[in-house]
Amino acid sequence: MAPSHALRCCKRALNWIPVLFINLVVGWSYYAYVVELCVYTILNNAERISYLVIFHIFFAMFIWSYWKTIWSKPASPSKAFGLPRAEKELFEREERAETQQEILKKVAKNLPVYTRTAGGAVRYCDHCQVIKPDRCHHCSTCEMCVLKMDHHCPWVNNCVGFSNYKYFVLFLAYAALYCVVICATVIQYFLKFWTKQLPDTHAKFHILFLFFVAALFFISVLSLLSYHLWLVGKNRTTIEAFRAPVFTNGPDKNGFSLGFKRNAAEVFGDQGKYWMFPVSSGLGDGHSFVTRLVHIDPERANGILQQNGKSSADGKPDPCVHGNNIQHTADSSKGNIEGGQTDSVKVENEQ
């Protein structure tokens, strides 16, 4: 037990090395820009002050979003998705997988869960002992199930998911803008040092290296930012981009896509004034999602979750969702499919 605990502590400590590296680079860039460039190199006071004001605005937003991404605890499934005591005892005693699935289906029919495994089974986490909500996955590094998990990022030493995905996208955006500000304001002095128009001083190395590092980081961050903005527009996670979610009627990579505007609102919220700030403004609670194929009745979903000990979700989905030139309208009828309760869906082609 003791060696295992010691190894786990060492692993957790080592996981902070990438974060320490990023903070050292950012700390050095702050010193190089503020001290070596603005204090020792720039002689014009108006230029110096304007550079410092612009730099600190983007620096503050970058650090704010970065640390919000790091310190936002990943959201995990509520107790409503755990097995009741009687069913849990039956599940643990049962050795046959088929019978275990019947127990899970019986519990899952009272939950707003519509995705399945590739084999059509109810998604259950043996480690956390919960039925996985839609888009939820178990992170082996964090040792927990994470709601709407996107990926585990070593550069923030945290899982990126429902609780901090907006912060992560803003972190990438402000990191790119931070690099742009540095490159745009440093380039004239970079060229002057490079062409020997300025004398060799201790600032030369810092300014030359600062420009190269900012340019390289901008290229790498911009590619990652572009990819995640594409994911936001499609309402997909990184996991879903590589493996399409499986519904009761089969896999559908666009199953959660509700159109660009609603996809963006799910991450950033429906009030534009909060979009640019790393504050919580996204829609939903991470446990249930409106889909292109299955409409979740808000009253039914809230009633189920309240009955299982969970507070109701925020927001009310529209009665119909448009996606891929198909209108999916849910009626109030219910049907039993393989022992599980599901909403029937009426599909009509748009004219």
Side-chain angles (χ1 to χ4, degrees):
M1 292 296 293
S4 177
H5 178 71
L7 289 174
R8 186 175 300 175
C9 291
C10 290
K11 181 181 177 182
R12 290 178 179 175
L14 292 174
N15 287 339
W16 286 102
I17 291 179
V19 177
L20 178 62
F21 172 76
I22 292 295
N23 281 272
L24 289 175
V25 172
V26 173
W28 166 80
S29 70
Y30 183 89
Y31 166 80
Y33 191 94
V34 173
V35 178
E36 299 295 345
L37 175 67
C38 293
V39 175
Y40 292 134
T41 304
I42 298 177
L43 301 178
N44 185 286
N45 285 330
E47 181 182 8
R48 178 187 295 144
I49 293 173
S50 62
Y51 279 14
L52 285 172
V53 170
I54 295 173
F55 173 82
H56 278 93
I57 290 174
F58 287 98
F59 176 79
M61 297 303 294
F62 166 51
I63 294 298
W64 185 10
S65 57
Y66 181 51
W67 283 96
K68 285 284 284 187
T69 307
I70 293 175
W71 296 112
S72 294
K73 184 179 180 181
S76 58
S78 69
K79 295 180 180 179
F81 290 84
L83 297 179
R85 180 177 298 179
E87 283 76 6
K88 185 178 180 180
E89 292 177 355
L90 289 174
F91 182 86
E92 292 175 347
R93 288 200 304 263
E94 185 58 55
E95 297 181 355
R96 292 173 298 175
E98 297 82 2
T99 307
Q100 287 182 331
Q101 268 300 304
E102 291 301 322
I103 297 173
L104 294 178
K105 288 178 181 179
K106 179 182 177 181
V107 178
K109 72 179 182 179
N110 294 320
L111 295 170
V113 176
Y114 294 95
T115 55
R116 297 291 186 265
T117 65
V122 175
R123 301 189 318 126
Y124 181 77
C125 179
D126 293 314
H127 297 282
C128 302
Q129 297 184 335
V130 294
I131 294 175
K132 296 179 182 179
D134 293 344
R135 317 183 84 174
C136 175
H137 298 275
H138 185 86
C139 176
S140 58
T141 304
C142 295
E143 299 180 346
M144 62 182 294
C145 282
V146 179
L147 295 180
K148 197 186 177 183
M149 180 178 173
D150 187 89
H151 69 287
H152 184 91
C153 180
W155 301 108
V156 299
N157 191 29
N158 199 3
C159 258
V160 177
F162 176 79
S163 64
N164 62 353
Y165 187 64
K166 176 191 174 182
Y167 309 149
F168 177 75
V169 175
L170 289 179
F171 153 60
L172 296 177
Y174 286 119
L177 291 173
Y178 179 70
C179 293
V180 168
V181 168
I182 291 176
C183 289
T185 54
V186 168
I187 187 169
Q188 60 172 314
Y189 296 97
F190 169 85
L191 294 174
K192 288 179 179 180
F193 276 119
W194 192 267
T195 57
K196 307 296 183 180
Q197 296 180 35
L198 288 176
D200 289 345
T201 63
H202 55 82
K204 179 179 179 179
F205 165 79
H206 290 282
I207 291 175
L208 293 179
F209 198 56
L210 180 63
F211 180 82
F212 280 121
V213 170
L216 291 175
F217 268 81
F218 172 74
I219 294 172
S220 60
V221 170
L222 182 62
S223 61
L224 190 58
L225 173 63
S226 301
Y227 175 67
H228 279 280
L229 289 177
W230 178 79
L231 289 178
V232 170
K234 296 290 185 179
N235 203 340
R236 298 178 197 168
T237 63
T238 299
I239 295 175
E240 292 164 356
F242 286 95
R243 185 174 65 250
V246 180
F247 297 87
T248 53
N249 60 335
D252 183 4
K253 63 181 180 180
N254 295 316
F256 295 105
S257 182
L258 308 175
F260 178 80
K261 185 176 181 180
R262 292 189 63 181
N263 292 345
E266 189 171 293
V267 175
F268 294 98
D270 51 8
Q271 299 187 53
K273 61 183 179 181
Y274 297 119
W275 281 27
M276 305 307 295
F277 299 96
V279 295
S280 179
S281 61
L283 304 180
D285 63 355
H287 289 86
S288 60
F289 299 88
V290 179
T291 75
R292 200 169 56 87
L293 298 176
V294 178
H295 172 77
I296 302 177
D297 180 14
E299 293 184 0
R300 174 174 174 261
N302 289 344
I304 291 171
L305 294 177
Q306 286 176 341
Q307 182 180 358
N308 286 271
K310 182 181 178 301
S311 61
S312 61
D314 296 332
K316 296 182 179 180
D318 293 339
C320 62
V321 175
H322 300 277
N324 291 358
N325 297 325
I326 298 177
Q327 179 178 347
H328 304 274
T329 306
D331 58 28
S332 59
S333 61
K334 304 289 189 295
N336 290 327
I337 298 179
E338 296 180 351
Q341 187 175 4
T342 180
D343 296 338
S344 62
V345 179
K346 178 182 177 183
V347 181
E348 299 174 353
N349 292 329
E350 287 185 340
Q351 301 298 327

